[in-house]
Amino acid sequence: MPIEATVPVEVRLPAQSGVTGIYEPVHLADAFAIALPAEASRDPETLARFIVSHQPGWIDRLTTLRDMIVACFGLKTARQLAQLASKEQAERVGIFRIYSRSANEIVLGEDDSHLDFRVSFLCGPQELTVTTVVHCHNLLGRIYLFVIAPFHRLVVKASLRRAAKIGWPVSGDQPGGSL
């Protein structure tokens, strides 16, 4: 069944993704795919940077609310991660640390005291699949994940829809360039 160009669909975790099977146990695992037009870049870093830098405005407001709450528990805030990003620009996409790169995948994520997560941007011949896996370290991590999981799914799908609506970067755009 073909994937629509502007509607992300939930799919199985791609077996070829670098995030499949990295955590034991996995407390959250999901994957969403969206079709890419023929002229769109297939460079995963270019697509990841584009998606992260063009998220809907409501996601920033939701992140601000999240930060106000998690700061009370000593967890990393987006502001703290942004400060790291300004120091290590080549090793981050937005606020997320780059863990690995290949010709068709980039893996981003973060480790914290309550949980670790990885997000894969995997380019196929006709689609982009965004896969998230999370491993919780403690009860705080499991409670946090229980609260944010529904929002996480909305954020991923909305980010993919927005990127498709704006128009994907075309082949030849350089990774890490200003998009």
Side-chain angles (χ1 to χ4, degrees), residues 14 21 29 46 50 62 68 75 81 87 116-117 143:
T46 297
F50 182 78
L62 193 60
M68 290 187 317
L75 304 180
L81 295 172
K87 294 176 188 171
D116 299 342
F117 74 91
I143 292 169

Side-chain angles (χ1 to χ4, degrees), residues 30-161:
D30 59 29
F32 296 91
I34 192 164
L36 292 171
E39 69 279 2
S41 174
R42 296 303 192 270
D43 178 72
E45 185 170 343
T46 297
L47 297 176
R49 287 185 185 283
F50 182 78
I51 291 167
V52 168
S53 65
H54 290 89
Q55 293 184 327
W58 63 265
I59 294 173
D60 288 337
R61 294 187 293 280
L62 193 60
T63 301
T64 299
L65 176 62
R66 175 226 175 253
D67 285 354
M68 290 187 317
I69 295 167
V70 303
C72 300
F73 296 96
L75 304 180
K76 293 177 183 173
T77 65
R79 181 182 215 171
Q80 291 167 324
L81 295 172
Q83 289 171 342
L84 287 174
S86 69
K87 294 176 188 171
E88 309 167 1
Q89 212 166 25
E91 292 305 310
R92 291 195 174 257
V93 172
I95 62 172
F96 304 113
R97 180 176 169 208
I98 297 172
Y99 281 86
S100 67
R101 292 178 179 100
S102 70
N104 65 342
E105 181 179 41
I106 187 167
V107 175
L108 312 177
E110 198 61 48
D111 295 342
D112 205 341
S113 60
H114 65 308
L115 59 76
D116 299 342
F117 74 91
R118 300 293 182 270
V119 180
S120 158
F121 293 80
L122 180 67
C123 292
Q126 298 176 333
E127 77 285 333
L128 172 68
T129 303
V130 178
T131 304
T132 306
V133 293
V134 179
H135 170 74
C136 298
H137 297 298
N138 51 37
L139 179 60
L140 177 58
R142 289 187 290 281
I143 292 169
Y144 174 85
L145 187 60
F146 177 78
V147 172
I148 65 103
F151 297 103
H152 153 75
R153 291 179 180 98
L154 289 172
V155 165
V156 172
K157 290 189 286 186
S159 297
L160 290 171
R161 274 193 309 272

